[in-house]
Amino acid sequence: MNWLYDWFVQKYETWTYFVQSQNDQAQDIAIKFRHEFTSLGYLCAFLVLLIGVITIVLYYYLGYNKLPGFRYRLSHWLTFLLITILSVFIITLVVVWFAVPNRLGAGPYYFFLSFINAVYSAITFFLLSVFIKKLSNAKRTPF
Amino acid sequence: MNNLFVFCIGGTGLRVMKSMVMLLASGVEVPGYNIVPILIDPHKDLGELKNLKILIEDYGKVYRSINGNQPNGQPGFFHTNILSLNRLAGNEEDVFEFDQRIDATFAEHIDLNNLAVNDVSRQFIDLLYSEVNLNKPLSLGFKGSPNVGTVILDSIDTTSWFQTFTSQVQNGDKIYIISSVFGGTGAAGFPILIKKLAASQNQNVRQAVKGGLAVLPYFQLDTPPPNFSNKEIDSSTFATKTKSALLYYLDNLKVDYLYFIGDKAGIAGKIYKNDEEKQENEAHLIEFIGATSIIHFANQKQTDTKQEYSIAIADNLDCLNLCTIGQGYNNYIRHMSNFFILDEVLKYLPKETSFPHNVNLQINEEFLYKTDSYKVLIEIINSYSKWLNELSNNRRGFEPFNLDISNSTFNPVIGKKVSLKRFLKDIPFGISYYFLKIIEAGNGIPKEVKDARNPLRNLIYITSEGISKVNQDLFK
């Protein structure tokens, strides 16, 4: 999971710098936090991504589009895309926050992780749409 | 497939056929028969005649676009083939009317001037025909004078087109005649035609099951101004002419099935303008009901005794709808509602760039909406819409649909409130619901129907299936 998230999360601050910038007493805590964040935290983020996007895509194509209302129109798909991005961002933030308690002012790491997860959710939503749409009433959405 | 030859005589015959075309376009079936209309009206400039010819030709174009050379039409809209006699005889061109225009006066036509004034034949003619009868040109028809029509139409069997007709009648074909009994052309033409058919050399013609629709008075005409020239038709004589005709039919009209339709109570409804040249009469409920008699007749078998039919409505109201016309009309109204909804669907469809079947069924701008066959379909739908408007405006009127529906209060069929539920929750009902069912019909389009090179066929299939599925529930 590290290769998926680390490159972006460290745009805020590298882990090396994060650890080395702590005083001697906090360095062990920083190392432990880093380990938890990059294992459990990344895992939680990935699960939120997968479950969230798959659920929303399946609902859009196989549930939402079984009802009237011209729901195959691009505007509806874009709305669902936006919902996916926002909900993955928020849920990632909340889940990881509770799974890996914040220590040593590492708040921005959570934000960066949630942000990149939201971007991935948009890409995944699009890619899944290409396959799932053929099974639904919205065969030409998004294209 | 057998043929049902329908002779439409005079203005009323044409108007009933127009209603018939509308019913067939909406998908009403005449199982086992192609319809072969033969229009007989000497009034060649009549707008109704010109428009009907265009309508029937357009119907044929759409039918052939959808079905090609297949022997049976695809179920749904335009299921039944309307074939011209000309095409039946192997020609490519459609011709529906065959009787010739006569610009001469009746006197000129019968060569009256060659008879001496004191000739007994001339005196006999003077006794039977007025000066007006003798001197008006026949190009405007027989103007409520069946005594004129009887003479003109008597030579119908010597014409080449009639020979073509008799040669095309096969075993199992049927013949139907539609005319009014209070006019000139119809009242004269009906019994003459029956007589000529009975005397035909072709056994198939003699033995064919024959039926006819006798249309009794259902409207009246206003009194034209004194100086108006085209004013010889007088609706106050309709009743007398009807009685005379019916007395004659009682013993002399040899048909297997005779249908009567009229509206004595509704006559005072809307008074038509008395202009025999234009006769711009709006579509009428009686013409629509008259068209249903053709379908009823098509389903009847050979009979040993003459069968006579008439039909009623449930409520004596100025304007009828699904709830007040009578349950016997439900099936027709259901089909008509399908075609009515098609009109609404096609207002939206070309603008739906994400419509799911734009590519797989080629229902798009490039392959369908710009084609001639699609444009012809739209022309027919526009005619249908106009016909519905006329039916609703006329009196006695027929208004089964809300002709001015909007998506916010979508309630197409008057008298039918729609309530749809899914998991106990209300589903919004509107044109988008029809779209949903049309999409589902497209998802399940059979391989033998789907044709990547024929998007019109695909369109007609999915709209027929999708719309009728919704309306079947509506009409339960």
Side-chain angles (χ1 to χ4, degrees), chain B residues 6 11 18 35 42 94 103 123 125 168 208 272 316 335 339 464 466:
Chain B
V6 183
K18 179 178 173 181
I35 303 296
D94 278 322
D103 286 312
Q123 290 167 357
I125 288 169
Q168 292 299 318
Y272 291 168
N316 185 16
H335 280 97
F339 208 57
S464 295

Side-chain angles (χ1 to χ4, degrees), chain A residues 47-105:
Chain A
L47 287 174
V48 167
L49 172 70
L50 263 188
I51 294 169
V53 175
I54 289 174
T55 304
I56 294 174
V57 167
L58 286 179
Y59 172 68
Y60 172 74
Y61 281 104
L62 304 180
Y64 187 75
N65 262 282
K66 282 202 190 315
L67 291 171
F70 299 108
R71 293 174 176 204
Y72 55 81
R73 285 178 178 164
L74 192 61
S75 56
H76 289 257
W77 184 86
L78 288 171
T79 302
F80 269 76
L81 176 64
L82 193 60
I83 290 170
T84 302
I85 292 168
L86 288 174
S87 52
V88 164
F89 179 85
I90 293 167
I91 295 171
T92 304
L93 194 60
V94 170
V95 167
V96 176
W97 187 273
F98 281 100
V100 182
N102 182 12
R103 295 185 192 96
L104 307 172

Side-chain angles (χ1 to χ4, degrees), chain A residues 63 65-74 136-141, chain B residues 352-356 358-359 422 427-428 431-433 435-436 439 443:
Chain A
N65 262 282
K66 282 202 190 315
L67 291 171
F70 299 108
R71 293 174 176 204
Y72 55 81
R73 285 178 178 164
L74 192 61
S136 76
N137 288 337
K139 294 179 190 334
R140 299 257 302 134
T141 309
Chain B
E352 291 293 317
T353 50
S354 299
F355 183 67
N358 278 359
V359 172
R422 193 179 190 227
I427 299 175
I431 196 70
S432 66
Y433 190 76
F435 264 81
L436 182 66
I439 291 166
N443 292 344

Side-chain angles (χ1 to χ4, degrees), chain B residues 232-257:
Chain B
E232 286 149 44
I233 302 175
D234 182 355
S235 59
S236 63
T237 63
F238 283 178
T240 315
K241 287 179 181 170
T242 299
K243 285 178 195 170
S244 307
L246 293 178
L247 271 172
Y248 179 79
Y249 290 179
L250 197 64
D251 294 320
N252 297 290
L253 204 62
K254 307 291 181 208
V255 288
D256 302 295
Y257 292 87

Side-chain angles (χ1 to χ4, degrees), chain A residues 123-139:
Chain A
I123 297 166
T124 313
F125 185 94
F126 179 83
L127 290 173
L128 273 178
S129 294
V130 171
F131 293 102
I132 305 278
K133 67 173 186 169
K134 293 171 190 175
L135 305 171
S136 76
N137 288 337
K139 294 179 190 334

Side-chain angles (χ1 to χ4, degrees), chain B residues 161-455:
Chain B
W161 71 264
F162 195 85
Q163 307 297 324
T164 305
F165 154 70
T166 56
S167 69
Q168 292 299 318
V169 178
Q170 305 295 322
N171 183 29
D173 288 349
K174 286 182 178 170
I175 301 169
Y176 197 73
I177 301 164
I178 309 167
S179 70
S180 71
V181 299
F182 54 90
T185 313
F190 193 172
I192 286 177
L193 197 49
I194 291 295
K195 196 174 79 173
K196 299 298 181 185
L197 294 173
S200 173
Q201 302 283 333
N202 184 346
Q203 182 178 287
N204 291 329
V205 174
R206 295 197 306 274
Q207 292 180 346
V209 177
K210 293 178 194 61
L213 173 67
V215 182
L216 280 58
Y218 62 96
F219 63 86
Q220 62 174 322
L221 301 169
D222 66 4
T223 307
N227 56 350
F228 195 64
S229 55
N230 298 323
K231 57 177 181 177
E232 286 149 44
I233 302 175
D234 182 355
S235 59
S236 63
T237 63
F238 283 178
T240 315
K241 287 179 181 170
T242 299
K243 285 178 195 170
S244 307
L246 293 178
L247 271 172
Y248 179 79
Y249 290 179
L250 197 64
D251 294 320
N252 297 290
L253 204 62
K254 307 291 181 208
V255 288
D256 302 295
Y257 292 87
L258 185 58
Y259 295 78
F260 295 96
I261 187 97
D263 191 357
K264 189 176 173 188
I267 280 175
K270 189 168 184 177
I271 299 175
Y272 291 168
K273 188 178 173 203
N274 192 341
D275 183 342
E276 62 212 24
E277 189 174 341
K278 291 183 182 168
Q279 294 185 33
E280 288 172 332
N281 306 341
E282 288 181 323
H284 195 282
L285 168 72
I286 290 294
E287 293 149 14
F288 154 69
I289 298 177
T292 66
S293 73
I294 306 174
I295 297 153
H296 184 275
F297 169 70
N299 287 302
Q300 305 309 306
K301 295 194 185 334
Q302 192 90 39
T303 174
D304 293 329
T305 53
K306 184 173 169 182
Q307 303 294 312
E308 293 179 355
Y309 290 91
S310 188
I311 194 166
I313 51 176
D315 293 331
N316 185 16
L317 298 171
D318 274 350
C319 192
L320 301 170
N321 58 34
L322 174 71
C323 301
T324 53
I325 192 171
Q327 285 188 350
Y329 300 91
N330 273 11
N331 188 46
Y332 299 109
I333 299 173
R334 182 170 57 79
H335 280 97
M336 287 166 68
S337 73
N338 294 344
F339 208 57
F340 174 62
I341 295 296
L342 178 67
D343 184 10
E344 293 300 311
V345 166
L346 293 184
K347 285 174 186 163
Y348 283 83
L349 189 56
K351 294 179 261 185
E352 291 293 317
T353 50
S354 299
F355 183 67
H357 299 299
N358 278 359
V359 172
N360 64 330
L361 298 182
Q362 304 283 43
I363 296 172
N364 53 51
E365 179 84 24
E366 187 187 349
F367 290 101
L368 179 62
Y369 302 133
K370 284 185 179 166
T371 62
D372 288 339
S373 53
Y374 183 78
K375 289 174 187 167
V376 169
L377 171 66
I378 297 300
E379 291 287 332
I380 294 176
I381 289 173
N382 290 340
S383 298
Y384 180 76
S385 179
K386 185 167 176 262
W387 178 71
L388 285 179
N389 269 290
E390 289 180 7
L391 281 177
S392 72
N393 288 335
N394 213 336
R395 289 296 178 267
R396 194 187 301 269
F398 179 48
E399 190 175 9
F401 311 125
N402 280 312
L403 298 178
D404 196 14
I405 52 174
S406 67
N407 209 31
S408 56
T409 52
F410 195 85
N411 204 21
V413 182
I414 295 176
K416 278 279 177 186
K417 206 166 175 202
V418 183
S419 171
L420 298 172
K421 286 196 185 298
R422 193 179 190 227
F423 305 128
L424 303 177
K425 277 191 174 173
D426 283 334
I427 299 175
F429 180 70
I431 196 70
S432 66
Y433 190 76
Y434 285 97
F435 264 81
L436 182 66
K437 294 302 166 187
I438 289 168
I439 291 166
E440 288 172 2
N443 292 344
I445 187 170
K447 282 181 192 163
E448 59 270 19
V449 172
K450 184 176 174 182
D451 187 344
R453 292 164 302 177
N454 194 342

